[in-house]
Each structure stands twice: as structure tokens, then as C-alpha cells.
Amino acid sequence: MPEAIRLAFVIAAKDIRAELRSRTALLSALVFAALVLVIFNFARDPTVLAATDLAPSVLWVTFAFAAMLGLNRAFNVEREHGALDGLLLAPLPRSSLFWGKLLANLAFVGVVEAVTLPLFVLFFNVDLSAALPGIIGTAALATVGFVAAGTVFSAMAVRTRFAELMLPVLLLPFMVPPLVGAVQVTSRLMAGRPLSEMLGWLRLLALYDIVFLTISTLTFAAVVDE
Amino acid sequence: MSPDLARANAVVRRGFWISALAFLGIAGVYVLALGFTPVEARQGVAQKIFYLHVPAAWCALLAFSLVGIVSALYLWLHDPRLDLFAASSAEVGVTFSAVMLTTGPIWAKPIWGTWWTWDARLTLTLFLFFLFVGYLALRAAIHDRQERARFSAVVGIMGLLLVPFIHLSVYLFRTLHPQPVVLKPSAPSLPPEMLRTLLISFAMFSLLYLGFVTVRYGIGLALEARELRDAG
Amino acid sequence: MPSYDGPLLEATGLHRSFGAARILRGVDLRLQPGEALAVVGPNGAGKTTLLRLLAGIMRPTQGEVRVLGRVLTSSAPETRRPLGLLSHQSLLYDDLTILENLIFAARLYGLADPAGAALAALEDVDLARRAHDQPRRLSRGLLQRAAIARALLHKPRVLLLDEPFTALDATAAERLRVLLRGRLAQGLAMVLVTHHLTEAWELASRVAVLAGGRWALDEPRAGDLAAFLPRYHELVGA
């Protein structure tokens, strides 16, 4: 395995092990997601608006905000005892550091989404059986894009006083295209529409991922190198 | 007064005159639009806001594009002046966008009956506004100048790459969700007098952008000169 | 590959500035095996900046750093391999045990037997019995020992030290000195940035004073600290 890739996995494995040990960020994000779903449920009038109309938006807003809670974790943990300096000193390419953090973030968000989806099905009483593979695929596609940008932004946000505010202020505009695309595809999947109606959006999601994975990898070095 | 401070003041003065000239030009466009340009058949006199609104929106986009491009140049060349220019452009851009976003609905309500539409131009300007705010908020939160320059540059580049995706999202959204037909002040082909007025307006607003950015850049230079003098 | 026998660490014409604000104004440095350079100076003189430049964490505006003859650049990670860092912070992760922390560092450096190397490093600093504790369970002195183990794990040729004696009691400080002296005798070179000149005086083979972004003094350490201090105060205008 090329060294750069091995090192990315070393970083990701370390982050995942540390998070599994403390579980703080993960549990917070999961509880948050559950609470948001509950609030959405009570906030709507089921006689006026059918669950299926609102469902994709509710699902994706929940995913997005819960994911954002976990993104600052990746770089906060490096600030506790100056560990980031150790990473910058090591013969570790900056891109490996980025991809390691990205993979750990994706694992985190993946778990949040995997737990939130069944809760969503439960609370909103929607039948996703036919659409499930498509929804999982769309979730993966949309998540990668905004987590890439989110990883770069969180590396910057943790160096400010109010990182929990700064990250959403920076990241939310970047979440719009993946979220809009995901909602559009999800709602069509749930309605059993043909694939041709979703292709435009899916292409948007894929293009977004490629562009932002690339630019995030390239600009990350400028964030950590002084 | 130190030579740096004197030079900074000279830049501010130059910017002031450029802006004054541009304001005169825009007043001239106003006159041109009202007096010397044909009235649009369907929308009437109200359509004339087009000559001010469209170029203002264009300037916000210009401001943001320059923030992005200059940010990329900064990461390559590491010249602090590029960072100051980007910051100045962002401050001017956020002002243009804010004005656009407030005057737009105020004018739209009596004409279209609605405060807001998700048409391409308004939506994009709204996003530019948010991106500007994020950029400026980050700058305000970082105190080390080199770090601030680096971080803002990254945000600038990422933001610039986001703009086409916003455009694409709005386009896909509209083609799949036909909106109620709203009369918009844009026409596929413009008669020559309208085109002339529009182009002159573009030029005057660009000049105003240049003037404002020059003033802000000069202020930035003055602040640096004063900091240096205070640090001894 | 021909063996390299020049200076382990070499800095030429280091400048660090942003616009008109200049932090380092031309610093040179040359370090041979077994040398320990103590860098002292008033706050804001640029000591931490210098250390970060030498570590490759910061990029100089002008000038270059060479480690074992190769220029330090962010895009060439392997050039950093011979470097080690011992800071006043432990560089450890709270949620992992000491041993897990070291195994991670070993994997980061691509060492052949990460677990074995980690355990050996802990035994070297007499910390093996605390291997399965998390950093928060260790006292400051023990934590510093863990940090030393981490810093020396990959057998660096040059050790950069950033205020390592901070908050150490006399025993722990002496222990650190003994360990470092041993490594110096084995050919390790060190750059030690410190405020605690009393702690570092016996360790240093050279002393350099950084003031206003450049060297005000750079000479072999000779005599005792009491004689040096008046000259130091004069140089920094205290």
C-alpha cells in the first residue's frame, strides 16, 4: 500500500479508536438527531401536510445538522495537548492528514446517518423498503461533498474563539447544493419515480464531490502549514 | 507623518475621487434611463430599475470573483497586498449585496406582489451575501495576520467554486419546478438604446466598485502604517 | 548513498515577516552531532517562531533550513524524519492509553514493530508499568516522561525542545537532564528554547541570545550562569 494511503488510514484509525473510547461527540450527535426528528414531528400538522411531502427535507436537515456537530471533533482533539505539532513534524504528507481526518469524519457521519434513518422511518411512518438502496447511495454521495469542505473549515474554525458558531457560518452555504440534490433525489426515490428524473441531480452531486474533494485536499496544506 | 501613512492617505483620496466620479456617472445613468431610453412594453416604467439593479448584482459577483481569484494568487505568491485587496473587495461586495437584497424586495412588492422570489439573480446574490459574511466573520475571529490571510484565502477559493454549483442548483430546480410566471426585468434581446444604457450602467457601477475598493485598500494601508508606528 | 557528514541541522538567512511586520531578520544556525544549543531571549524575540521554522511547521519568508543536508519543505515530508520535538505540552491524546499513543506515533513513523518499539521506548523512560493508563491519570512529571518516549521513539538525529522544563519539579527536571545528556553523548543534537536558563545551563554546549529577530550573541557555553546573566540582561536591555 502506498505510504501516503497507509498513513491516512493510521490517522483515521486513531481518530476512530479515540472516539469509540469516549463516545462523547457521537452520542451528542445521535441524541441531537433524535430530538430534531421529534421536534419536526410535533411541529407539523399531519392533516395539512402529508409526511411524504416533508419527509425528505426533514431527513436531510437532520442529517446535515447532526453531522455538523461532529465535524469540530476532528481538530479539537489535536489541540488538547498540542498533538497537531506532532503530526506536522512527522514525515506525514498534509494530504494524508486531510484524508485521514476526512475518513474519520465520514465514519462518524455514517454512523449518525445509519442510526437516524431507522428512527426517521419509525417516527414518520414512511415505507422506504423499495427506495432504501437508492437512499443509501444518495446519502453517501451527498455526504462526501459537504464533509470534505467541512473538514477544511473545521480545521480553521477550531482556531477561533467560537468554533461551534464559526463552522456553521462557513459551512452552511456549502451544504446547500448537496442537500438540495439529496432531497430532490430522495423525494423522487420515495415516490418511485424513474431514474431519468434524478440523473441531473445525481450528476450535480457527483460533480460537487469531485470538485470539493479536490479543492479541499489542495487547500488543506495552506490551513495547517504556517 | 510617516511616508507610509502619507501614501495610504493618497490612495484613499484617489479612491474618493473615483467613487465621486462613479456616483455622478450613476446619476447620469438614472437620467439616461428615465429620459432617453424607451419604455419596455409589458412592464412599463417600473422596468427601469433593471438598469440599476442588474449592474449592482453584477458588481457583487465581480467583487466575489475577485476575492476568489486574488485569494488563489495569495496562496501562490504570499504577497500581503493581495490579502488586503481581497479583504477590501469582500467588504465592498457585502455592501453591494446587502443593498441589492434590501432594495430588491422593497421594489418587488408593489410590482410583483411578492417580497421575494427564488429567481436566479436574487438567489445568487443571497448566497454571495452569506459567503461574504462568512469570509468577513472568519477574518474578524483570527488575530494573527498571516493566519488570517491564509484562512481567508482558502475560504475565498472554496466560495468561488461554490458559485457555479448554486447556479446549477437553481437552474435544475427551476426547470423541474416551473415557477409561476413572474414578470422579470430581463429580456432575451434588447433594443440598442436599452443595451446602451445597460452597458453604461455596468461601466459606472464597476467604476464605483473600483472607487470603494481603493478607498478601503487605502484605509487598510493606513491602519498598517499606524500599527507599525505604534509598535515602534 | 554516500554518508552525510555535514551539520545535522543548518539554517541560512532565516527571515519571517508578514508585510512590514518582521519577526525574524536573518538568522543562521549550524548544529553538529552532540551539540546542544540553548536559545534564550525576551518574550516576542522570535524564539518559538525559530523553533517552528526549524521543525518545518512554519515556512520562512526567506532562507532555508536543511536537515542532514536536505532542504526542509512541506511538500517533502521525508526531510522531517530526523527531527523530534519535546514541548511543554505532551502531544498526547487523552482518550488513548500511553501505550496506544506511542503505538500511533510508531505507526506514523512507519516503524517495523510498532507495539514492540512503543513498549521499548516506555521501558527506556521507566514508564512501562503505566502503559495502560490514559494521560489524564499521570502527573506532570510522568507525562513529560511519556512525551520524551514519544519524542525519541523514532530515534531522531535532532531534537527540538520548546520550554521542556515548564512545571517540572526538581527531580523530574534532573531526570530529564540526565536522559538528554545521555543522548547527547550518543550523538543527538539539540536546540533548546527556554526561559529557565538555570535548568538548561549545564546541558548546553552553546548559548545564543535572540533579540529583535536576530542573534545578539552566539558562543560556546563557558563559565557559570551567574557570570552570564549580567551580560544577558545588558544585551536584551532589561
Side-chain angles (χ1 to χ4, degrees):
Chain A
M1 189 190 289
E3 185 68 358
I5 297 181
R6 181 192 74 85
L7 287 169
F9 280 122
V10 167
I11 302 279
K14 183 269 292 176
D15 270 26
I16 291 172
R17 173 173 290 132
E19 183 54 37
L20 285 177
R21 193 63 67 68
S22 78
R23 293 179 297 271
T24 321
L26 194 59
L27 288 178
S28 308
L30 289 175
V31 169
F32 175 85
L35 285 172
V36 168
L37 287 178
V38 167
I39 290 173
F40 268 123
N41 186 60
F42 284 114
R44 70 181 174 97
D45 182 348
T47 59
V48 172
L49 210 52
T52 43
D53 280 344
L54 207 52
S57 307
V58 168
L59 181 67
W60 276 100
V61 167
T62 310
F63 277 173
F65 281 83
M68 251 195 317
L69 279 189
L71 288 176
N72 275 339
R73 173 209 58 82
F75 289 99
N76 265 330
V77 80
E78 305 296 342
R79 283 167 56 77
E80 281 164 358
H81 297 293
L84 184 64
D85 280 350
L87 294 179
L88 295 178
L89 183 77
L92 172 73
R94 307 303 188 223
S95 53
S96 294
L97 178 58
F98 172 73
W99 277 86
K101 291 292 178 182
L102 176 66
L103 288 172
N105 278 338
L106 285 175
F108 181 96
V109 176
V111 169
V112 171
E113 291 180 351
V115 173
T116 305
L117 192 59
L119 276 179
F120 169 76
V121 169
L122 185 69
F123 287 167
F124 282 78
N125 216 8
V126 289
D127 178 14
L128 291 182
S129 40
L132 195 60
I135 290 180
I136 293 177
T138 308
L141 209 55
T143 303
V144 165
F146 71 73
V147 172
T151 304
V152 174
F153 288 146
S154 68
M156 296 193 273
V158 296
R159 297 188 60 87
T160 66
R161 269 176 76 197
F162 298 106
E164 307 307 321
L165 277 184
M166 186 58 65
L167 180 63
V169 167
L170 290 175
L171 185 58
L172 281 172
F174 291 84
M175 293 181 104
V176 169
L179 281 191
V180 168
V183 167
Q184 293 296 320
V185 174
T186 305
S187 89
R188 281 175 181 73
L189 281 170
M190 283 172 62
R193 309 298 301 159
L195 186 63
S196 55
E197 284 187 24
M198 305 175 229
L199 275 180
W201 292 107
L202 287 172
R203 280 198 209 104
L204 177 89
L205 289 178
L207 188 62
Y208 188 91
D209 287 352
I210 294 170
V211 168
F212 278 91
L213 276 173
T214 310
I215 195 65
S216 300
T217 310
L218 292 175
T219 54
F220 183 75
V223 175
V224 289
D225 277 326
E226 295 171 14
Chain B
M1 183 185 287
S2 72
D4 282 336
L5 203 55
R7 190 171 65 95
N9 287 346
V11 172
V12 173
R13 264 196 305 275
R14 192 183 326 144
F16 174 77
W17 286 115
I18 297 176
S19 309
L21 190 64
F23 269 121
L24 274 178
I26 289 171
V29 167
Y30 194 59
V31 167
L32 199 63
L34 287 179
F36 298 92
T37 312
V39 178
E40 210 259 348
R42 278 180 307 157
Q43 300 173 52
V45 182
Q47 179 268 350
K48 299 211 180 221
I49 193 80
F50 168 61
Y51 301 110
L52 293 179
H53 230 241
V54 172
W58 148 257
C59 271
L61 185 59
L62 173 71
F64 194 77
S65 308
L66 285 178
V67 170
I69 294 168
V70 170
S71 291
L73 284 175
Y74 174 79
L75 285 185
W76 176 33
L77 299 171
H78 302 289
D79 187 336
R81 292 171 301 179
L82 291 172
D83 175 60
L84 182 56
F85 181 86
S88 310
S89 189
E91 284 192 25
V92 173
V94 78
T95 315
F96 271 101
S97 329
V99 168
M100 253 290 284
L101 290 169
T102 45
T103 60
I106 292 173
W107 158 71
K109 177 70 169 142
I111 307 298
W112 301 343
T114 174
W115 291 107
W116 187 265
T117 77
W118 288 102
D119 77 307
R121 194 178 315 119
L122 267 178
T123 307
L124 188 63
T125 311
L126 183 66
F127 270 91
L128 288 180
F129 178 75
F130 287 136
L131 287 168
F132 279 130
V133 167
Y135 178 93
L136 293 169
L138 184 65
R139 286 192 74 91
I142 305 277
H143 303 293
D144 177 82
R145 290 170 59 209
Q146 206 264 5
E147 189 171 279
R148 185 176 61 198
R150 272 185 299 130
F151 284 11
S152 329
V154 171
V155 173
I157 293 169
M158 304 263 273
L160 189 58
L161 287 173
L162 183 67
V163 168
F165 283 99
I166 302 292
H167 225 68
L168 196 54
S169 304
V170 172
Y171 169 75
L172 276 177
F173 197 82
R174 297 183 67 71
T175 54
L176 297 174
H177 294 252
Q179 299 285 300
V181 175
V182 174
L183 293 175
K184 289 176 14 222
S186 64
S189 62
L190 291 172
E193 298 91 354
M194 286 185 168
L195 189 63
R196 171 205 67 193
T197 309
L198 186 64
L199 288 179
I200 293 176
S201 190
F202 268 121
M204 289 301 115
F205 268 93
S206 301
L207 194 65
L208 185 66
Y209 164 78
L210 187 66
F212 280 174
V213 168
T214 310
V215 169
R216 178 60 185 83
Y217 188 86
I219 292 174
L221 288 178
L223 285 172
E224 271 175 38
R226 176 127 48 85
E227 244 177 60
L228 227 64
R229 187 197 63 195
D230 289 344
Chain C
M1 185 156 118
S3 68
Y4 175 78
D5 62 358
L8 292 182
L9 183 66
E10 190 174 6
T12 337
L14 285 184
H15 282 75
R16 171 77 176 180
S17 55
F18 186 74
R22 298 162 68 198
I23 302 151
L24 286 186
R25 304 162 189 240
V27 168
D28 296 315
L29 189 153
R30 203 164 287 110
L31 211 58
Q32 301 290 353
E35 265 199 286
L37 174 69
V39 176
V40 296
N43 287 329
K47 303 193 298 295
T48 310
T49 303
L50 176 61
L51 207 65
R52 295 179 86 74
L53 285 170
L54 294 175
I57 296 173
M58 210 182 254
R59 201 185 32 84
T61 318
Q62 233 183 290
E64 66 180 20
V65 178
R66 283 175 183 270
V67 179
L68 264 60
R70 293 155 75 192
V71 178
L72 207 58
T73 45
S74 163
S75 50
E78 276 305 306
T79 55
R80 300 194 287 269
R81 184 176 287 274
L83 296 173
L85 178 67
L86 185 65
S87 168
H88 50 96
Q89 294 183 294
S90 68
L91 269 55
L92 301 174
Y93 298 103
D94 274 335
D95 292 316
L96 301 178
T97 65
I98 302 291
L99 184 62
E100 284 168 341
N101 265 290
L102 287 206
I103 292 177
F104 168 69
R107 289 209 181 105
L108 208 58
Y109 279 90
L111 300 185
D113 172 20
L119 212 47
L122 283 179
E123 277 159 8
D124 268 350
V125 297
D126 196 21
L127 209 51
R129 58 198 157 80
R130 304 299 297 270
H132 300 291
D133 284 336
Q134 290 176 332
R136 60 176 74 93
R137 309 265 319 269
L138 266 58
S139 67
R140 169 81 186 115
L142 292 182
L143 211 52
Q144 186 67 311
R145 267 198 252 168
I148 293 167
R150 189 204 185 282
L152 298 174
L153 182 64
H154 61 286
K155 304 196 178 354
R157 305 291 303 276
V158 176
L159 189 62
L160 302 170
L161 299 105
D162 186 7
E163 311 278 4
F165 294 100
T166 307
L168 287 186
D169 62 33
T171 326
E174 182 55 30
R175 200 194 173 100
L176 177 58
R177 263 194 300 278
V178 165
L179 185 133
L180 291 175
R181 223 175 270 132
R183 295 304 170 108
L184 283 169
Q186 290 170 5
L188 180 71
M190 285 171 17
V191 177
L192 169 57
V193 163
T194 184
H195 277 127
H196 301 91
L197 205 43
T198 31
E199 307 278 19
W201 187 252
E202 296 298 315
L203 208 50
S205 59
R206 292 186 74 81
V207 178
V209 177
L210 194 64
R214 23 170 100 92
W215 295 132
L217 181 95
D218 179 2
E219 63 181 31
R221 192 258 310 173
D224 65 11
L225 184 55
F228 176 76
L229 279 175
R231 294 173 58 213
Y232 171 72
H233 289 305
E234 197 184 346
L235 280 170
V236 303

